[in-house]
Amino acid sequence: MNPISNCFIECNKNFDDSEIVIIGIPYDGTSSYRPGSRFAPDEIRKASYGLETFSPIQNKDLLDKNICDIGDLELSFGNKLDILKKIEIEIDKIIHQNKKILSIGGEHLITYPIIKSYLKKYPDLFLIHFDAHADLRDDYLGENLSHATVIRRISELIGLNRIFQYGIRSGTKEEFDIIRNNNLLNRDLNKVKNIIGDTPVYITVDLDILDPSVFPGTGTPEPGGISFNSLINKLHILSELNIVGCDVVELAPDYDPSKVSTIVAAKIIRELLIFI
Amino acid sequence: MNPISNCFIECNKNFDDSEIVIIGIPYDGTSSYRPGSRFAPDEIRKASYGLETFSPIQNKDLLDKNICDIGDLELSFGNKLDILKKIEIEIDKIIHQNKKILSIGGEHLITYPIIKSYLKKYPDLFLIHFDAHADLRDDYLGENLSHATVIRRISELIGLNRIFQYGIRSGTKEEFDIIRNNNLLNRDLNKVKNIIGDTPVYITVDLDILDPSVFPGTGTPEPGGISFNSLINKLHILSELNIVGCDVVELAPDYDPSKVSTIVAAKIIRELLIFI
Amino acid sequence: MNPISNCFIECNKNFDDSEIVIIGIPYDGTSSYRPGSRFAPDEIRKASYGLETFSPIQNKDLLDKNICDIGDLELSFGNKLDILKKIEIEIDKIIHQNKKILSIGGEHLITYPIIKSYLKKYPDLFLIHFDAHADLRDDYLGENLSHATVIRRISELIGLNRIFQYGIRSGTKEEFDIIRNNNLLNRDLNKVKNIIGDTPVYITVDLDILDPSVFPGTGTPEPGGISFNSLINKLHILSELNIVGCDVVELAPDYDPSKVSTIVAAKIIRELLIFI
Amino acid sequence: MNPISNCFIECNKNFDDSEIVIIGIPYDGTSSYRPGSRFAPDEIRKASYGLETFSPIQNKDLLDKNICDIGDLELSFGNKLDILKKIEIEIDKIIHQNKKILSIGGEHLITYPIIKSYLKKYPDLFLIHFDAHADLRDDYLGENLSHATVIRRISELIGLNRIFQYGIRSGTKEEFDIIRNNNLLNRDLNKVKNIIGDTPVYITVDLDILDPSVFPGTGTPEPGGISFNSLINKLHILSELNIVGCDVVELAPDYDPSKVSTIVAAKIIRELLIFI
Amino acid sequence: MNPISNCFIECNKNFDDSEIVIIGIPYDGTSSYRPGSRFAPDEIRKASYGLETFSPIQNKDLLDKNICDIGDLELSFGNKLDILKKIEIEIDKIIHQNKKILSIGGEHLITYPIIKSYLKKYPDLFLIHFDAHADLRDDYLGENLSHATVIRRISELIGLNRIFQYGIRSGTKEEFDIIRNNNLLNRDLNKVKNIIGDTPVYITVDLDILDPSVFPGTGTPEPGGISFNSLINKLHILSELNIVGCDVVELAPDYDPSKVSTIVAAKIIRELLIFI
Amino acid sequence: MNPISNCFIECNKNFDDSEIVIIGIPYDGTSSYRPGSRFAPDEIRKASYGLETFSPIQNKDLLDKNICDIGDLELSFGNKLDILKKIEIEIDKIIHQNKKILSIGGEHLITYPIIKSYLKKYPDLFLIHFDAHADLRDDYLGENLSHATVIRRISELIGLNRIFQYGIRSGTKEEFDIIRNNNLLNRDLNKVKNIIGDTPVYITVDLDILDPSVFPGTGTPEPGGISFNSLINKLHILSELNIVGCDVVELAPDYDPSKVSTIVAAKIIRELLIFI
């Protein structure tokens, strides 16, 4: 575990007693445009101390939950396949102990080994995907494992019919063809809740779903996104589902000169921790 | 008075002839997270020259009012009680000459000595409080006079029933209990106007009520806030009341790399100056 | 042509075969507040590589159009009248070859010589003007050719009845009197489409029409603006008109620390290139 | 005079009683690379309050001199010849009252009208020129009045033999031929003092003479410059001459993110004010 | 202890076994110009991971020492006397256990309670003071306990003859009179070593002794300072003395946009930890 | 070749006629601390237009040489071995045509495949290495190909006795043992010239050899470095050698808020292009 980290606000419970585990996964090796999401977990933890632990929208307090922030996975650089394997093994270990996991990226590719691990325990897992970008390319500059192909790779594991996407506003013609042909995008949340029922669900939040005015600090900002409150409301509706894990990815603190993106990320994580 | 300052745009009328007085109060001694609101008054004055004096929404011009910007109160550092006393005495002097005052903070604690002064002249004063944070704690890290306790302290002077809050979205469980039990939050503005009638009203605007996308440059940004136009509309509705003073606090220019928060603050002040 | 430039993403077609020509006009000599829109064309081109070429909202791809980005006009500094003449001559040349032109400013004054050139070919041209500022002053600090007078000068060429303005929220009392007396502002877009019919139209987009939360990187940010999606929707509606040219002006990259304003500008240009 | 300004620290004496007059000349119309020296005078005044008035190196205090800071000359934009004329007229007026003048730019071209004015009173004036750039071009992009030609133009008025240059490390081959042929560069200061004797001297300090590590905040930083102490020492040696005026130019505050360049400029001005 | 902190690189030994203790003291309540040294301890710890533990200049490794970083003292805001008392009590406790202490500020006033504590154990303590500012004022804006008076207050405890100052280049006339009359400044280091002999010594390093080119990130940068290597060399010479404690103060991370000042602070601390 | 690039100033000669070829290699996949050297080649080219083509120190002009800037090598992300192979192949091609190559990184690991390619043509190549870091680790976090091991890997190809290092001030104890045992560091340049004689030499410049005051914009700034002029002087002395290639690496433009590091890099490249 990487020494430069400290727990998310008040998430310092004993691992064994904890229902939820937070882990930072500071990998950004395939970021094509603006790198640096590797710095996100620590910056988010730091920013969390500028928030209260109480959520007025949920009328609940983080203090009432048992959560353990175990710090960051220590990763070397340059060797993608080894790193993805290492992530998968670490997630295996935590799931094995019946914990829910909230992973903080890093880039979006980290969701791939996480889902691989989850499928061993939850073979009928649904994925709800919040993002500006479709991430459905078959390859990106010749690489088939990349932050731009991650949902495509996952769809090959669980099927497109187990994926629901929200907020997508950028992609190639081919990606939007897949979206349209499979009715992936922005489906009514209550209908989705009916479809999923009690089946385990994983939620992946690429923070660039938010409008760049709210969230400039990301690798590939895409104008025309949703507001903070709109995202929280969607997560609120989904909170009744059987959410077994989630991740929050693609904050790039170096492109967040006012630090507000980092605070936004921290507040979304606070809400998620209380939701799940 | 501090020498590094110049008047807010066109507010250079003779003190005696002026109906409204602007004063800068550059105190930020209890800011717990990101300091520097001490620099706000001067930066706001500078930014005001990027605006027109004419307000299209009100169809009125700042040039048609008699306003005197008397500069900043000179404050030493480190001695909170002396500073609060000094603010109160200065406000006493100006009110004594039957001026309305628009104070530019500085942090939110400055509202406390201002209200103490106002109550000598207007004992039945109402307070309308725009903010992201409840500011209703009884103490903060052991201090009972702080930017996080200021409205609690004021409520002990005027009663919770004379306070109306808008925009609050952060606080402890205890603070939200007070809010709920006393129906403090986001009440219909027209009903509030009926309740208040002709009684003197003071308006305090903590600029972090705005969403961090609009206003990143503040000590404790809180995602999920309102828009600039929404705030102006609320102030517009209230402008028919008998407003005897107001303040605009918590701009921290060092956290405003694009300078837009400073311009937002200046435009809100321009509108307030024409409203009152 | 200035050597530091490269084409807007995929706009590298042969000049003769191209239907649309992109030209950068890096002039900011009359910017009164925050200069540097001279750097906009190159920064926009660079940022365009962070976008896809496919527009989901239009379901069309930039790759399907023939567009030639001819780089920036090389301009010396300090000699305004010579520069305006040089712009007019360059636009004359391109129009003469029956190309549509998308010009990237630079400041808003560049629209004046462009319109002078267009009127030689399209004497009944309409102008649709997106902006935060009226730009209808008769002079600005004694100068009658300035970014603050440009629409007034154009109105003397084509008449106020051929101008439609959107988004204006700043100006002098005199400018708003002109706006009101001539019904210039925010008219229903469908009615405007009926008035214009097939007549040639020129669209000028001063990017400060956007709210400063979306677009801080401009010379004179004006709080209270519209959202990115709102602007795109307006342009979408107008795309059925006979648009013969357009410009996008007033990005000042030095005031865009997160680079998001530059990406916003690039995405608006991508949409415009597919619209026209 | 421009309203956004306040005096340099403690330079608030009555004009008539003052021996030295400070004037800001916020012109940057020919800046070719990074504009914004127009903002320098106000930022320098603000930064001066972070310094003491006492100079340990000179063992003298600014408080012991009579200095009047009259603020900034108000200039419109875009009309270079008018602006140069206006500067010359203003300097004429102040010299006429037997004041020494310290001008704060703005860009280096402002030295041209100042010298034109000085020559009326001091026809045998010497010029000592501190700079990274030779500024000896005959024209720059076709303009013969530019920040890159200013010393060439002045040499046509006073002759190259009345000019001494220090710190030049950038120029064209032609400029360095002039320098070499006329022995202009880095001559021994004590020999220069002997040559000049009691004849009136004007000192122009282009702050980019300093190494960019010390002074990044300028339009065209040139690596390899001198240190702050080296510049102060040179000025110290020259202080025994009959200095009748000086200027300090080319601070561009927007490119000074740590604000240190601005403080450097302020400290150089403090020393100059005590030297002359 | 404040939760947002992690140890300085490899300084994670058991408290009882440690020879040296690191403590962060994040107080900046009297900073008059640019606040934020409260953020220094955490940022320095983070930056320390960009350094090696091995010091080539000393040919020694941090790994070979027993050092315990106990984190930051938790301080409330606004109550100066309470805070100074709290610092003194904490230092008392650590000294009582025969540890050397390296304190990370915060502002320079923290040295006052530290020295008060040290004098109880080491009544004949010498102080070596590295700084740009004399800090010998009797009061600052009426306050007699301030970062500008700290060495004056200490001199009243230990006598001016037990103080040696290096690097001072800013102060009032009165302060420089004291310096000259008492021969405080820049005395030959080897002579000083002879004077002190084996007597216990405390070293206080105000980082603004460094030139602002090396160290822009501080509250009151003062041009004309020394280089990094010059400071390290001075500390190297002093390392043979009986150093019983030291502090490193006045990094203000918010004014360090390139983060280099923070790395400089971390490297100085690494060298000090190996020196003492 | 990557489309976002333009030639270094005036290096636009025909490839076949050119003596020197510039290539950008935007790889930063093993950067452990602050990434983004991938952006360096384009930013350096852009900054080169702020310089003159004439070098006063050499009294020569870039215009007098035949140089072709062929743009950037297009690299995908995440697959280190493929990328290193691709670099080697590209260098093979250019050397095959008897060109000298100046490569612009990217991170320091790029030097490894370049040297592998050079050794095919120049088997007795010497390496002169300018850097703050020894880069002699055997592995870094388990990776044996990294920016921290690059010179170790190269030494395995050419022998430590063919390597001369300058400026190293950071490394592990083991690395400094190698340096000392092999007398690698800071040897007298004239003696080195005698040793090398006419044998082909490759020069690799890791820009972090410069002091962070001069060059903050790099991944791992190391306080205590040399000045710009000192580096240029060293290169000047070496220019009489038979230099067959060189590279300039480790500028990270995102950490260069004042852009001065980028200008420093561009000026070093200008001098190198004229030297070789």
Side-chain angles (χ1 to χ4, degrees), chain B residues 27-36 38-39 74-80 82 140-143 145 254-255, chain E residues 27-36 38-39 74-80 82 140-143 145 254-255:
Chain B
Y27 178 67
D28 62 4
T30 78
S31 294
S32 51
Y33 195 52
R34 310 199 298 186
R38 68 182 71 172
F39 303 124
E74 189 168 1
L75 301 169
S76 60
F77 291 91
N79 208 326
K80 185 169 60 179
D82 284 5
Y140 185 68
L141 299 176
E143 296 287 323
L145 281 172
D254 286 339
Y255 301 97
Chain E
Y27 178 66
D28 62 4
T30 78
S31 294
S32 51
Y33 194 52
R34 310 199 298 186
R38 68 181 73 173
F39 303 125
E74 188 167 3
L75 302 168
S76 60
F77 291 92
N79 207 325
K80 186 169 59 179
D82 285 5
Y140 186 68
L141 299 176
E143 296 287 323
L145 282 171
D254 286 339
Y255 300 97

Side-chain angles (χ1 to χ4, degrees), chain B residues 101-151:
Chain B
I101 305 173
L102 185 149
S103 303
I104 307 177
E107 60 156 80
H108 213 161
L109 183 56
I110 68 162
T111 306
Y112 180 63
I114 296 173
I115 294 294
K116 281 181 72 178
S117 174
Y118 265 83
L119 287 174
K120 298 173 201 167
K121 177 153 187 166
Y122 305 106
D124 55 351
L125 191 72
F126 278 95
L127 178 71
I128 300 181
H129 172 217
F130 293 92
D131 205 331
H133 307 88
D135 293 358
L136 288 168
R137 287 168 181 256
D138 197 24
D139 76 282
Y140 185 68
L141 299 176
E143 296 287 323
N144 68 358
L145 281 172
S146 146
H147 69 123
T149 68
V150 60
I151 302 301

Side-chain angles (χ1 to χ4, degrees), chain D residues 115-130:
Chain D
I115 294 295
K116 282 181 72 178
S117 174
Y118 264 83
L119 287 174
K120 296 173 201 167
K121 177 152 187 165
Y122 305 107
D124 54 352
L125 191 73
F126 278 94
L127 178 73
I128 300 181
H129 173 217
F130 293 93

Side-chain angles (χ1 to χ4, degrees), chain D residues 33-35 133 169 206-223 226 250-265, chain E residues 211-216 255 257-258, chain F residues 212-216 256-264:
Chain D
Y33 195 52
R34 309 197 301 186
H133 307 88
R169 59 192 181 275
D206 185 326
L207 292 159
D208 65 20
I209 189 176
L210 296 166
D211 192 68
S213 58
V214 187
F215 197 81
T218 190
T220 42
E222 183 72 30
I226 67 173
E250 296 286 2
L251 169 69
D254 286 340
Y255 301 97
D256 184 29
S258 68
K259 307 267 189 204
V260 164
S261 307
T262 309
I263 297 169
V264 163
Chain E
D211 192 68
S213 58
V214 186
F215 197 81
Y255 300 97
S258 69
Chain F
S213 58
V214 186
F215 197 81
D256 183 29
S258 68
K259 308 267 190 204
V260 163
S261 308
T262 310
I263 297 168
V264 162

Side-chain angles (χ1 to χ4, degrees), chain D residues 181-225:
Chain D
N181 294 338
N182 294 278
N183 192 15
L184 296 182
L185 192 56
N186 296 341
R187 293 179 67 180
D188 180 88
L189 283 165
N190 287 306
K191 289 194 186 147
V192 167
K193 277 164 67 177
N194 284 339
I195 293 169
I196 294 179
D198 290 338
T199 319
V201 180
Y202 187 91
I203 294 178
T204 180
V205 180
D206 185 326
L207 292 159
D208 65 20
I209 189 176
L210 296 166
D211 192 68
S213 58
V214 187
F215 197 81
T218 190
T220 42
E222 183 72 30

Side-chain angles (χ1 to χ4, degrees), chain E residues 237-250:
Chain E
I237 293 171
L238 297 174
S239 65
E240 295 165 32
L241 291 171
N242 176 20
I243 301 167
V244 292
C246 60
D247 61 50
V248 175
V249 301
E250 295 286 3

